[in-house]
Amino acid sequence: MVSSTTKDVPEPTQRGPHPSYIQTAAPYVLELKVNECLVSAGVTEAKDDSVRLQAVAWIDNVRKALHLPVRTYNTAVVYFHKFRLVHPESSGFLDAAAAALFTACKIEDTLKKSRDILCAAQNLKLSPAEQLTPDDPMFENHAKIVIGLERLMLEASGFDFRNRHPQRLLLKLGRLYSVERETVGKTAYKMSLDIYKTYAPLKQTTATMAFACLELAGRVQEHNVTDIQSSRIYKKWKITRPEVMETLLDLLELYTHHRTSTLVGNEHPVDKFISIRIELNEEASTEKYPRFTSSRHKKSLTNGASASNGTKGSKDKDSKMTNSPQDVTSPRDIKSPMGLTSINGTSVQGKPGIKEGTIRFMLDPERVRAEKDIVSHFFKVEEEEYMVEVEKDRRRT
């Protein structure tokens, strides 16, 4: 008699319907993920800068022609950036810019038809005598393309309608610290528009962008800015000096390499921006600040915004203040702006086919993790070991 060990492995066939996929909205996309998205698509830095600057300038010109507020411009540019990270290979970036502005008009309740946006963009190239109307037949097919891209815009953002607008906070900070309105105030406001030509709005909070614009404007206008660099103030707004430093250097890179595409760059000599950049680099080296802030995994859900769309708001007194992006995202949690995760725990790169399962969009990562913990119990492959005695027939040879 001999014994042998066998394993009873259940068949890997799927039971019941597909568990579906969940895409968690990413309120912040850090520099590491931005670079990964661009490198994976083979987009060079020069090409990305060219496309980004042209598209943002197009959005700004069209929204001025339509007399749209700044908040619509902010939202449109953020949606365009997120779309480009998911679809960087898209060649028709002006179509994407029009779709981003069209989507932002709906989100910010400044409704404009797709024909109105296309007509305004076309009229910018024409003389007053040649102006067209939105009902012109030439906009028929193009308007359908813009409407079709709207769905991709929403998917790229994870249906996250929480947006950040630093201009209002910037004006309040200017009054609080009694900055000169005609010099520092106006320069800081223009910088708050130029900052959307970088990826800083994806990476930083409202308070970080507002403090960075105010500090850089004071440095450019040669005003004392030590009052707004206090660690006590940063702690109140739940931001850190390395985050402000990263935003400052992003702006200075824009002003030193692409001055003609900005509002503030042409008003000051490039030597001034270079000297400020040298001072900030020395400070960063002394304090050992990283060029790009890394993330640390902490619990934060609402991004400083009011609770909505299934998220649970904080009851803390400081809940209205903006939380740090380090408290919200982690490279381990967010694979990409379009990263999908199966509810049974397996990650999927890119968008799966509709036949494989349903895609659900959620804002609360805690709810996603809780649901995965519950459902994963039913997808565990259990193995059982047992001993079986087998008679071995001994025959003479």
Side-chain angles (χ1 to χ4, degrees):
M1 301 288 289
V2 296
S3 62
S4 63
T5 303
T6 61
K7 295 183 179 181
D8 184 12
V9 181
E11 296 181 358
T13 57
Q14 182 175 301
R15 299 179 181 179
H18 191 278
S20 77
Y21 296 95
I22 294 180
Q23 178 180 336
T24 308
Y28 299 100
V29 183
L30 300 183
E31 184 70 22
L32 176 63
K33 184 54 60 180
V34 171
N35 292 334
E36 287 180 1
C37 293
L38 297 178
V39 170
S40 63
V43 179
T44 62
E45 183 179 357
K47 181 180 179 181
D48 176 63
D49 291 342
S50 176
V51 170
R52 186 176 68 251
L53 294 174
Q54 291 182 58
V56 174
W58 188 93
I59 292 174
D60 192 23
N61 293 333
V62 174
R63 73 98 183 173
K64 289 178 180 177
L66 294 173
H67 305 287
L68 296 173
V70 173
R71 69 176 187 273
T72 304
Y73 162 79
N74 296 344
T75 304
V77 175
V78 169
Y79 269 70
F80 175 80
H81 288 334
K82 290 185 177 181
F83 177 84
R84 285 286 299 171
L85 293 181
V86 179
H87 307 281
E89 74 285 351
S90 177
S91 58
F93 64 90
L94 292 182
D95 292 338
L101 185 58
F102 177 60
T103 306
C105 288
K106 291 185 177 182
I107 295 173
E108 298 297 337
D109 200 19
T110 54
L111 298 179
K112 292 292 180 181
K113 296 181 180 179
S114 57
R115 287 174 171 269
D116 296 334
I117 296 174
L118 297 174
C119 180
Q122 185 66 25
N123 287 337
L124 291 175
K125 308 174 185 177
L126 304 176
S127 62
E130 301 174 337
Q131 296 290 300
L132 302 175
T133 58
D135 57 353
D136 194 290
M138 70 175 295
F139 302 122
E140 181 73 25
N141 295 330
H142 203 178
K144 294 180 180 179
I145 296 176
V146 172
I147 295 175
L149 287 174
E150 180 188 7
R151 177 180 62 84
L152 298 180
M153 288 286 166
L154 295 174
E155 289 183 354
S157 65
F159 288 86
D160 188 359
F161 303 127
R162 299 169 293 180
N163 300 303
R164 302 182 284 277
H165 308 293
Q167 288 81 13
R168 179 178 297 180
L169 178 59
L170 177 62
L171 296 178
K172 292 181 179 180
L173 292 176
R175 289 194 295 267
L176 178 64
Y177 295 104
S178 303
V179 301
E180 293 187 10
R181 180 177 180 181
E182 296 299 322
T183 56
V184 180
K186 288 187 176 180
T187 303
Y189 189 84
K190 292 179 181 178
M191 288 181 176
S192 69
L193 300 177
D194 285 339
I195 200 173
Y196 280 84
K197 296 174 183 177
T198 69
Y199 285 117
L202 300 184
K203 302 183 291 183
Q204 306 298 345
T205 64
T206 302
T208 302
M209 291 187 287
F211 274 95
C213 292
L214 191 60
E215 178 180 343
L216 185 57
R219 290 177 180 272
V220 170
Q221 297 293 343
E222 298 180 355
H223 284 260
N224 187 13
V225 293
T226 55
D227 294 340
I228 62 175
Q229 297 181 19
S230 171
S231 58
R232 179 180 57 83
I233 297 176
Y234 287 164
K235 185 177 180 181
K236 178 181 178 181
W237 290 96
K238 297 184 179 180
I239 62 178
T240 61
R241 182 60 182 171
E243 294 171 358
V244 177
M245 181 68 68
E246 178 183 356
T247 309
L248 288 169
L249 294 177
D250 286 345
L251 273 172
L252 289 172
E253 285 184 3
L254 177 68
Y255 290 137
T256 53
H257 296 112
H258 308 284
R259 293 177 59 242
T260 58
S261 301
T262 63
L263 299 175
V264 180
N266 293 326
E267 298 177 355
H268 304 277
V270 67
D271 294 339
K272 178 172 291 187
F273 295 113
I274 294 176
S275 61
I276 295 174
R277 189 173 179 180
I278 292 174
E279 294 177 3
L280 293 177
N281 284 330
E282 291 177 352
E283 178 187 349
S285 300
T286 303
E287 301 295 335
K288 297 181 179 180
Y289 294 148
R291 174 60 183 90
F292 300 107
T293 54
S294 58
S295 64
R296 58 180 183 271
H297 188 58
K298 287 188 178 181
K299 178 181 178 181
S300 179
L301 302 178
T302 59
N303 182 24
S306 57
S308 61
N309 197 8
T311 60
K312 297 180 180 180
S314 174
K315 296 182 180 180
D316 192 37
K317 292 181 180 180
D318 296 333
S319 61
K320 292 183 180 181
M321 295 185 180
T322 310
N323 294 330
S324 168
Q326 298 177 352
D327 300 339
V328 179
T329 63
S330 169
R332 296 183 302 238
D333 297 335
I334 299 174
K335 303 300 180 183
S336 70
M338 193 57 184
L340 300 171
T341 303
S342 173
I343 193 60
N344 61 355
T346 58
S347 61
V348 179
Q349 296 296 330
K351 181 178 178 181
I354 300 301
K355 294 181 180 179
E356 297 181 6
T358 304
I359 305 175
R360 295 185 293 128
F361 298 88
M362 299 179 68
L363 297 182
D364 190 351
E366 292 294 335
R367 290 184 59 185
V368 175
R369 282 190 281 268
E371 185 174 337
K372 286 169 61 177
D373 292 340
I374 295 173
V375 177
S376 61
H377 174 72
F378 300 96
F379 290 88
K380 290 182 179 179
V381 178
E382 298 181 354
E383 297 183 356
E384 181 181 357
E385 294 187 1
Y386 57 92
M387 305 291 292
V388 178
E389 293 184 355
V390 180
E391 294 184 0
K392 187 174 182 181
D393 186 12
R394 297 180 179 179
R395 297 180 180 181
R396 295 181 180 178
T397 57

